Amino acid sequence: MLASDTQACSSIAFRSNESRWGALIYAGLGGWLVYEAASEGGWKGIIAGIGSGAFFALTILGKVMAGPDRSAHLTFDTEGLAAPEVFARKLPWSAISSYSFDSGGPESSPALYIKVANPELFEPKPRGLLQNWLARRNALTGLRVALGRLDCDYDDIDAAFRRFAPSTLKT
């Protein structure tokens, strides 16, 4: 939750909520595949069991050793808004005209849409081919920040906008 007005801070950072639960999911899936392969019997089952077991063991080890992502994905301060995964430069409050929330649906995660004047001036970060196409499509109006991985809710982000950019419209 955000600090109250009596405990005003100079910036608010919303970080990823990634945890190590993904490793447990891979362990369960890997265990199930190894069991299914071993139950087939014969050399094919043994080779498939060893191969899939080794693959999932390495994947689990990588997830556990890498540690969870706790980097700031969205930062508010008196100068503007930073979305380091989307833009290389901070967006000044004067460039942001409005924001809105999308609760998501069956095929999309909850998101924050920020309408930005001239988003190309803030150096959108290059990504994969499909992601670049989607970014260019969204760059006509602003940016989309997926909230599914962030450790916050709509009220936290709304309060951050009211604190640092009270004149920005919520649509």
Side-chain angles (χ1 to χ4, degrees):
M1 295 302 293
L2 293 176
S4 66
D5 290 337
T6 59
Q7 301 169 327
C9 54
S10 61
S11 70
I12 298 171
F14 296 107
R15 300 184 179 282
S16 174
N17 63 0
E18 187 177 81
S19 69
R20 290 199 167 110
W21 282 102
L24 289 176
I25 293 169
Y26 281 108
L29 182 63
W32 176 74
L33 284 175
V34 168
Y35 172 77
E36 286 295 319
S39 67
E40 292 292 321
W43 285 103
K44 288 182 182 179
I46 292 171
I47 303 257
I50 291 172
S52 60
F55 171 75
F56 280 99
L58 289 173
T59 303
I60 293 164
L61 183 65
K63 285 232 174 246
V64 170
M65 297 301 285
D69 175 19
R70 295 294 296 152
S71 61
H73 290 257
L74 193 61
T75 305
F76 292 77
D77 64 20
T78 55
E79 297 172 8
L81 180 138
E85 289 189 349
V86 181
F87 288 108
R89 296 178 43 208
K90 185 181 291 189
L91 300 170
W93 293 119
S94 60
I96 299 172
S97 58
S98 66
Y99 69 98
S100 63
F101 296 105
D102 177 18
S103 60
E107 296 166 8
S108 64
S109 65
L112 166 67
Y113 290 98
I114 301 172
K115 191 166 187 168
V116 180
N118 301 320
E120 64 278 354
L121 297 176
F122 303 102
E123 302 172 23
K125 287 193 173 179
R127 296 173 278 184
L129 184 63
L130 177 62
Q131 292 169 331
N132 278 339
W133 179 79
L134 291 171
R136 281 195 187 100
R137 187 187 68 167
N138 291 336
L140 297 174
T141 58
L143 72 120
R144 177 185 185 274
V145 179
L147 300 178
R149 292 181 46 213
L150 293 183
D151 193 18
C152 65
D153 59 15
Y154 299 134
D155 295 333
D156 293 335
I157 293 176
D158 200 33
F161 269 105
R162 285 194 315 268
R163 161 99 169 80
F164 292 105
S167 62
T168 303
L169 298 174
K170 179 179 179 183
T171 56

